[in-house]
PDB file of all heavy atoms in Angstrom:
ATOM      1  N   PRO A  94     118.097  94.445  82.440  1.00  0.00           N
ATOM      2  CA  PRO A  94     118.057  94.199  80.980  1.00  0.00           C
ATOM      3  C   PRO A  94     116.661  94.174  80.354  1.00  0.00           C
ATOM      4  O   PRO A  94     116.527  94.339  79.226  1.00  0.00           O
ATOM      5  CB  PRO A  94     118.721  92.844  80.855  1.00  0.00           C
ATOM      6  CG  PRO A  94     119.567  92.616  82.117  1.00  0.00           C
ATOM      7  CD  PRO A  94     118.824  93.387  83.138  1.00  0.00           C
ATOM      8  N   GLU A  95     115.657  93.844  81.162  1.00  0.00           N
ATOM      9  CA  GLU A  95     114.305  93.681  80.632  1.00  0.00           C
ATOM     10  C   GLU A  95     113.632  95.002  80.305  1.00  0.00           C
ATOM     11  O   GLU A  95     112.660  95.002  79.573  1.00  0.00           O
ATOM     12  CB  GLU A  95     113.412  92.974  81.680  1.00  0.00           C
ATOM     13  CG  GLU A  95     113.837  91.577  82.044  1.00  0.00           C
ATOM     14  CD  GLU A  95     115.044  91.412  82.905  1.00  0.00           C
ATOM     15  OE1 GLU A  95     115.352  92.373  83.599  1.00  0.00           O
ATOM     16  OE2 GLU A  95     115.722  90.346  82.914  1.00  0.00           O
ATOM     17  N   VAL A  96     114.182  96.135  80.822  1.00  0.00           N
ATOM     18  CA  VAL A  96     113.533  97.388  80.543  1.00  0.00           C
ATOM     19  C   VAL A  96     113.805  97.880  79.063  1.00  0.00           C
ATOM     20  O   VAL A  96     114.885  97.935  78.644  1.00  0.00           O
ATOM     21  CB  VAL A  96     114.024  98.481  81.537  1.00  0.00           C
ATOM     22  CG1 VAL A  96     113.544  99.870  81.164  1.00  0.00           C
ATOM     23  CG2 VAL A  96     113.734  98.099  82.977  1.00  0.00           C
ATOM     24  N   GLU A  97     112.639  98.176  78.417  1.00  0.00           N
ATOM     25  CA  GLU A  97     112.752  98.546  77.035  1.00  0.00           C
ATOM     26  C   GLU A  97     112.415  99.985  76.783  1.00  0.00           C
ATOM     27  O   GLU A  97     112.860 100.562  75.789  1.00  0.00           O
ATOM     28  CB  GLU A  97     111.818  97.689  76.114  1.00  0.00           C
ATOM     29  CG  GLU A  97     112.266  96.146  76.137  1.00  0.00           C
ATOM     30  CD  GLU A  97     111.354  95.355  75.319  1.00  0.00           C
ATOM     31  OE1 GLU A  97     110.255  95.911  74.820  1.00  0.00           O
ATOM     32  OE2 GLU A  97     111.624  94.095  75.101  1.00  0.00           O
ATOM     33  N   ILE A  98     111.502 100.568  77.687  1.00  0.00           N
ATOM     34  CA  ILE A  98     111.065 101.934  77.538  1.00  0.00           C
ATOM     35  C   ILE A  98     111.718 102.686  78.840  1.00  0.00           C
ATOM     36  O   ILE A  98     111.470 102.268  79.896  1.00  0.00           O
ATOM     37  CB  ILE A  98     109.600 102.089  77.474  1.00  0.00           C
ATOM     38  CG1 ILE A  98     109.113 101.474  76.293  1.00  0.00           C
ATOM     39  CG2 ILE A  98     109.240 103.579  77.636  1.00  0.00           C
ATOM     40  CD1 ILE A  98     107.560 101.550  76.125  1.00  0.00           C
ATOM     41  N   VAL A  99     112.433 103.720  78.572  1.00  0.00           N
ATOM     42  CA  VAL A  99     113.136 104.416  79.612  1.00  0.00           C
ATOM     43  C   VAL A  99     112.542 105.899  79.615  1.00  0.00           C
ATOM     44  O   VAL A  99     112.448 106.607  78.679  1.00  0.00           O
ATOM     45  CB  VAL A  99     114.635 104.483  79.400  1.00  0.00           C
ATOM     46  CG1 VAL A  99     115.287 105.371  80.437  1.00  0.00           C
ATOM     47  CG2 VAL A  99     115.199 103.156  79.364  1.00  0.00           C
ATOM     48  N   LEU A 100     112.209 106.293  80.923  1.00  0.00           N
ATOM     49  CA  LEU A 100     111.850 107.705  81.149  1.00  0.00           C
ATOM     50  C   LEU A 100     113.001 108.399  81.933  1.00  0.00           C
ATOM     51  O   LEU A 100     113.496 107.890  82.920  1.00  0.00           O
ATOM     52  CB  LEU A 100     110.548 107.778  82.031  1.00  0.00           C
ATOM     53  CG  LEU A 100     109.262 107.165  81.506  1.00  0.00           C
ATOM     54  CD1 LEU A 100     108.136 107.310  82.424  1.00  0.00           C
ATOM     55  CD2 LEU A 100     108.948 107.664  80.079  1.00  0.00           C
ATOM     56  N   VAL A 101     113.317 109.615  81.492  1.00  0.00           N
ATOM     57  CA  VAL A 101     114.280 110.486  82.194  1.00  0.00           C
ATOM     58  C   VAL A 101     113.535 111.584  82.755  1.00  0.00           C
ATOM     59  O   VAL A 101     112.939 112.454  82.044  1.00  0.00           O
ATOM     60  CB  VAL A 101     115.458 110.915  81.287  1.00  0.00           C
ATOM     61  CG1 VAL A 101     116.456 111.745  82.020  1.00  0.00           C
ATOM     62  CG2 VAL A 101     116.157 109.697  80.608  1.00  0.00           C
ATOM     63  N   HIS A 102     113.552 111.683  84.039  1.00  0.00           N
ATOM     64  CA  HIS A 102     112.728 112.656  84.741  1.00  0.00           C
ATOM     65  C   HIS A 102     113.616 113.486  85.684  1.00  0.00           C
ATOM     66  O   HIS A 102     114.460 112.885  86.415  1.00  0.00           O
ATOM     67  CB  HIS A 102     111.605 112.054  85.577  1.00  0.00           C
ATOM     68  CG  HIS A 102     110.669 112.969  86.153  1.00  0.00           C
ATOM     69  ND1 HIS A 102     110.040 114.057  85.420  1.00  0.00           N
ATOM     70  CD2 HIS A 102     110.084 112.984  87.380  1.00  0.00           C
ATOM     71  CE1 HIS A 102     109.248 114.724  86.216  1.00  0.00           C
ATOM     72  NE2 HIS A 102     109.272 114.066  87.376  1.00  0.00           N
ATOM     73  N   ASP A 103     113.449 114.766  85.804  1.00  0.00           N
ATOM     74  CA  ASP A 103     114.123 115.671  86.681  1.00  0.00           C
ATOM     75  C   ASP A 103     113.357 115.789  87.970  1.00  0.00           C
ATOM     76  O   ASP A 103     112.192 116.125  88.028  1.00  0.00           O
ATOM     77  CB  ASP A 103     114.288 117.094  86.090  1.00  0.00           C
ATOM     78  CG  ASP A 103     115.208 117.110  84.889  1.00  0.00           C
ATOM     79  OD1 ASP A 103     116.075 116.238  84.765  1.00  0.00           O
ATOM     80  OD2 ASP A 103     115.103 118.015  84.047  1.00  0.00           O
ATOM     81  N   ALA A 104     113.927 115.457  89.106  1.00  0.00           N
ATOM     82  CA  ALA A 104     113.301 115.665  90.415  1.00  0.00           C
ATOM     83  C   ALA A 104     112.857 116.962  90.676  1.00  0.00           C
ATOM     84  O   ALA A 104     111.852 117.204  91.363  1.00  0.00           O
ATOM     85  CB  ALA A 104     114.318 115.189  91.503  1.00  0.00           C
ATOM     86  N   ALA A 105     113.479 117.973  90.071  1.00  0.00           N
ATOM     87  CA  ALA A 105     113.038 119.411  90.286  1.00  0.00           C
ATOM     88  C   ALA A 105     111.648 119.688  89.616  1.00  0.00           C
ATOM     89  O   ALA A 105     111.023 120.633  90.072  1.00  0.00           O
ATOM     90  CB  ALA A 105     114.007 120.302  89.623  1.00  0.00           C
TER      91      ALA A 105
END
Side-chain angles (χ1 to χ4, degrees):
E95 296 76 20
V96 174
E97 296 180 352
I98 295 176
V99 177
L100 302 182
V101 180
H102 187 46
D103 292 334

